[in-house]
Amino acid sequence: MEKFEINILGCGAALPTPRRLSSSQVVNIREKLFMLDCAEGTQMALRRSRLSFSHLQAIFLTHLHGDHVFGLIGMLSTFGLLGRIQDLHIYGPLDLQRIFQPQIDYFCADSPYQIILHEIDTRIPQVLYEDRSVIVSTLPLAHRIPCCGYLFREKPTPRHIRRDMIDFYHIPVSQINNIKAGMDWTTSEGDIIPNDRLTTPPDPVCSYAYCTDTIPRPQLAELIHGVTCLYHEATFAQEHALLAKKTFHSTATQAGQIARDAQVGRLILGHFSSRYSSEDILLQEAQQIFPNTILAEDGMKIDLSSPSEPRIL
Amino acid sequence: MEKFEINILGCGAALPTPRRLSSSQVVNIREKLFMLDCAEGTQMALRRSRLSFSHLQAIFLTHLHGDHVFGLIGMLSTFGLLGRIQDLHIYGPLDLQRIFQPQIDYFCADSPYQIILHEIDTRIPQVLYEDRSVIVSTLPLAHRIPCCGYLFREKPTPRHIRRDMIDFYHIPVSQINNIKAGMDWTTSEGDIIPNDRLTTPPDPVCSYAYCTDTIPRPQLAELIHGVTCLYHEATFAQEHALLAKKTFHSTATQAGQIARDAQVGRLILGHFSSRYSSEDILLQEAQQIFPNTILAEDGMKIDLSSPSEPRIL
């Protein structure tokens, strides 16, 4: 299977601590990199991760709170100093241009590449990016300011040809793509050979939903149904449910409920309030509802294309 | 002697590396803190340094290149989240307000403290801050954009009273401050007792000059003559002197010449280009001209009030 890897650069909430940065991740799909949020310190974490700066295709910002965007201008400036020439597309809610265009104009005036800002309506799900292998779309969330999550879905890949059967039935090369796409084969004698004798199933596809910051939204379960992996904010423990509601955040219990209702493969908790000396309380809460839950950690790599355990850099 | 300590949070040039942040320092004078520049990651480095956020009096920015200011908005936002209520004054060149006021208005709208931006004319030396113990003034520098360094000078302290002599001559309490200020004493018999029999010398005062980014400016030597310690940028080695000139930076040799001409106590080199795998070449160059030179290092504390060696956190 092809690479589909989540790199967690930072998973803390508003206050960066010596233990963790605020929100930032890189999704690596077949060495194309997509960044999710960009907290202060992201460029240093990106360097430590040894991901290639130049493979970054696009940046998706959930919302314009500082702990999700304060690393943006520094990283964009560094890309310019390092000689990036490919365009870089940045997606984010309303105000993206008003806030960041003046900074880009001032601090990246000499950069040899174009930065294109795209303001999106966070209230409706929409496709933002598509290439041969992946589709990226938005997931409406509910926070204190306009906010959306992002959904990465690999496109289905063709079935695998069984070379021996192709040879046996003398199927011409011109028909291979049709066979891969699922067509049966009719021999010159009129016999129909069903496709599943000619092919083996395609690789399973991976999908990833990144949902932060938000109150729990039951509607979300439908949009992310069955994803391979869900990252959901769990800023608070259930004992702080009122505070979570007031600040438009989720508890770990609520994150577990969304994961269960959406029947996802795995849940990653993140966006931890710095008030907890250990996040084990959050893990235990979510696991009571959705057992296949892990805690995010700065430097963690999670390979969605294999059942291997997450690695920490 | 009272505390006068330089805390180097970051001493790299434009590109932050895993080894070091870009420019940022804190001068700790008797537990009043003054920040010099504020590169991305400064708030995390400040936390690691264990300096008290709330003791920060003012921030002085040399110029508005990103590697000197990209940590500002994140740190200001964090101060708000931590409940700072004292006003914070920020000094910097022209454009400070145009670039940072919109960010402050947007990201620190709920902060419980006032941020006051002061745009300064970097072309003339002027006093920006003064309290009982210290005066902070600007040092005109020459870079690609308006830029100034900063000079911290402790005010002279009074001479120390010799209690035994005060008693011996029955000098009344009302005269103590005059004696401390240097006055002689005339006894009732008309004998004049010279002040240096009644007092011992005051503590020596410390002074610190922070000079980055700039081409070497011979005029600087006069303004900073005899300072206890000079931090001078040494972005390049002499082999890159042409590149230094072109980019309005200094070589280590040039920094050594300024230190020698200004007869400073100690020279700290900083703002190192990331091209050098070791900065020893810079140290050797400067030491050939000015032996009492050291290399800055992230996390370094230098106590100017004692001859002790710098400590690394």
Side-chain angles (χ1 to χ4, degrees), chain A residues 14-16 18 21 40-44 47 64 66 69-71 73-74 77-78 81-82 95 98-99 103 106-107, chain B residues 14-18 21 40-44 47 64 66 69-71 73-74 77-78 81-82 95 98-99 103 106-107:
Chain A
L15 289 176
L21 298 183
E40 182 175 357
T42 291
Q43 63 168 318
M44 292 80 146
R47 214 179 258 257
L64 301 187
V69 302
F70 281 156
I73 186 65
S77 167
T78 291
L81 292 172
L82 294 176
D95 284 338
R98 180 164 73 83
I99 296 305
Q103 294 187 49
Y106 193 82
F107 291 113
Chain B
L15 289 176
T17 71
L21 298 182
E40 181 174 358
T42 291
Q43 64 168 317
M44 293 80 146
R47 214 179 258 260
L64 301 187
V69 302
F70 281 155
I73 185 67
S77 168
T78 290
L81 292 172
L82 294 177
D95 284 338
R98 180 165 73 84
I99 295 305
Q103 294 187 50
Y106 193 82
F107 291 112

Side-chain angles (χ1 to χ4, degrees), chain A residues 46-240:
Chain A
L46 189 59
R47 214 179 258 257
R48 278 193 297 273
S49 75
R50 301 190 175 277
L51 293 161
S52 166
F53 281 29
S54 63
H55 289 189
L56 187 63
Q57 306 293 311
I59 301 173
F60 300 98
L61 304 173
T62 56
H63 64 300
L64 301 187
H65 276 157
D67 56 326
H68 295 252
V69 302
F70 281 156
L72 187 61
I73 186 65
M75 190 179 71
L76 297 178
S77 167
T78 291
F79 288 167
L81 292 172
L82 294 176
R84 181 184 177 107
I85 52 170
Q86 317 103 281
D87 291 353
L88 182 59
H89 294 264
I90 304 176
Y91 300 85
L94 200 71
D95 284 338
L96 181 69
Q97 286 172 343
R98 180 164 73 83
I99 296 305
F100 284 101
Q101 196 64 56
Q103 294 187 49
I104 291 167
D105 292 345
Y106 193 82
F107 291 113
C108 304
D110 299 329
S111 282
Y113 73 111
Q114 288 289 317
I115 298 163
I116 303 112
L117 302 180
H118 302 270
E119 289 192 355
I120 53 182
D121 183 344
T122 57
R123 293 166 302 179
I124 45 166
Q126 58 185 309
V127 171
L128 295 184
Y129 175 93
E130 180 168 4
D131 64 19
R132 279 174 40 168
S133 49
V134 69
I135 294 176
V136 184
S137 51
T138 59
L139 298 165
L141 299 177
H143 194 45
R144 302 194 298 278
I145 59 174
C147 182
C148 65
Y150 293 96
L151 175 63
F152 292 73
R153 276 196 195 279
E154 269 188 318
K155 292 181 176 177
T157 52
R159 298 179 65 84
H160 295 289
I161 286 289
R162 289 187 54 184
R163 182 55 55 192
D164 54 342
M165 301 305 282
I166 300 298
D167 291 347
F168 182 81
Y169 290 107
H170 303 293
I171 299 174
V173 170
S174 63
Q175 295 304 309
I176 295 291
N177 280 340
N178 290 333
I179 303 291
K180 280 184 175 177
M183 196 185 75
D184 297 333
W185 175 248
T186 307
T187 65
S188 51
E189 291 82 28
D191 294 335
I192 293 177
I193 315 297
N195 185 272
D196 60 9
R197 286 198 59 195
L198 305 172
T199 63
T200 55
D203 294 331
V205 291
C206 293
S207 50
Y208 178 59
Y210 175 76
C211 299
T212 190
D213 298 356
T214 189
I215 52 172
R217 294 191 83 236
Q219 310 94 305
L220 192 59
E222 196 176 317
L223 290 170
I224 63 173
H225 186 84
V227 294
T228 315
C229 183
L230 164 64
Y231 177 94
H232 197 286
E233 74 130 294
T235 310
F236 296 109
Q238 197 59 22
E239 63 177 310
H240 296 117

Side-chain angles (χ1 to χ4, degrees), chain A residues 3 5 23 39 41 89 142 188 200 271 308:
Chain A
K3 180 176 272 190
E5 188 179 75
S23 296
H89 294 264
S188 51
T200 55
H271 202 267
S308 62

